[in-house]
Amino acid sequence: MNGVRQQRQRLLWVDPPVVEGAPDDDSLDIRAGRSIAQVDQVPPGSAYRTTHGDDPLILVNAGGKITTFLAVCTHEGCPLGWNPNQHLIRCPCHGSAFDTAGRVVNGPARVPLTALQTIVERGEVLLVEPTR
Ligand code: FES
């Protein structure tokens, strides 16, 4: 479980996002970072799994909006997959399910998925990263 907790902590800097124009005394500057997928790899109604460093990610396209989550179950840390028939992010270990917004729709997980901030630019999904 420590590994999952450490993964979450490494990625927490993107949540909440820094708002342009917000005071910069203790906030992070951000920039659009590494491409994690091409938009074409995540057509509407589908999901795409990839990694960012050691972190497994899942990108979900719901109605044209692509959302990126840490693909680690919030129950006990199993890697998550996509059920295209149910349009749910599923955990194979104990059956938890998450909707396309990362909300729990079936336990035993009780905590929603960790969403990561991304932007789409020139057909690429870019993970927003800090500059310091
Ligand atoms: S680890 Fe996913 S449901 Fe238990």
Side-chain angles (χ1 to χ4, degrees):
M1 285 308 298
N2 281 343
V4 172
R5 195 166 292 128
Q6 288 169 349
Q7 282 183 347
R8 281 207 200 122
Q9 288 173 344
R10 280 203 312 264
L11 292 167
L12 279 179
W13 48 260
V14 297
D15 188 17
V18 176
V19 177
E20 188 174 309
D24 61 355
D25 50 346
D26 62 349
S27 62
L28 293 174
D29 292 327
I30 59 172
R31 63 182 168 85
R34 185 180 308 176
S35 173
I36 55 173
Q38 296 178 348
V39 171
D40 294 348
Q41 292 174 300
V42 199
S46 76
Y48 176 74
R49 292 196 322 172
T50 187
T51 58
H52 178 67
D54 293 334
D55 299 312
L57 305 178
I58 188 165
L59 292 76
V60 177
N61 186 333
K65 180 180 181 217
I66 297 174
T67 307
T68 302
F69 300 101
L70 183 63
V72 176
C73 185
T74 58
H75 178 228
E76 291 185 355
C78 286
L80 297 170
W82 173 249
N83 184 310
N85 298 320
Q86 299 174 327
H87 284 221
L88 292 173
I89 300 166
R90 299 296 310 246
C91 179
C93 292
H94 310 106
S96 288
F98 305 86
D99 66 13
T100 56
R103 296 176 293 234
V104 176
V105 295
N106 191 59
R110 296 191 310 184
V111 176
L113 297 180
T114 300
L116 306 178
Q117 187 181 6
T118 58
I119 62 170
V120 173
E121 192 172 283
R122 296 186 186 130
E124 302 276 339
V125 181
L126 305 174
L127 191 63
V128 174
E129 298 182 290
T131 57
R132 60 180 165 112

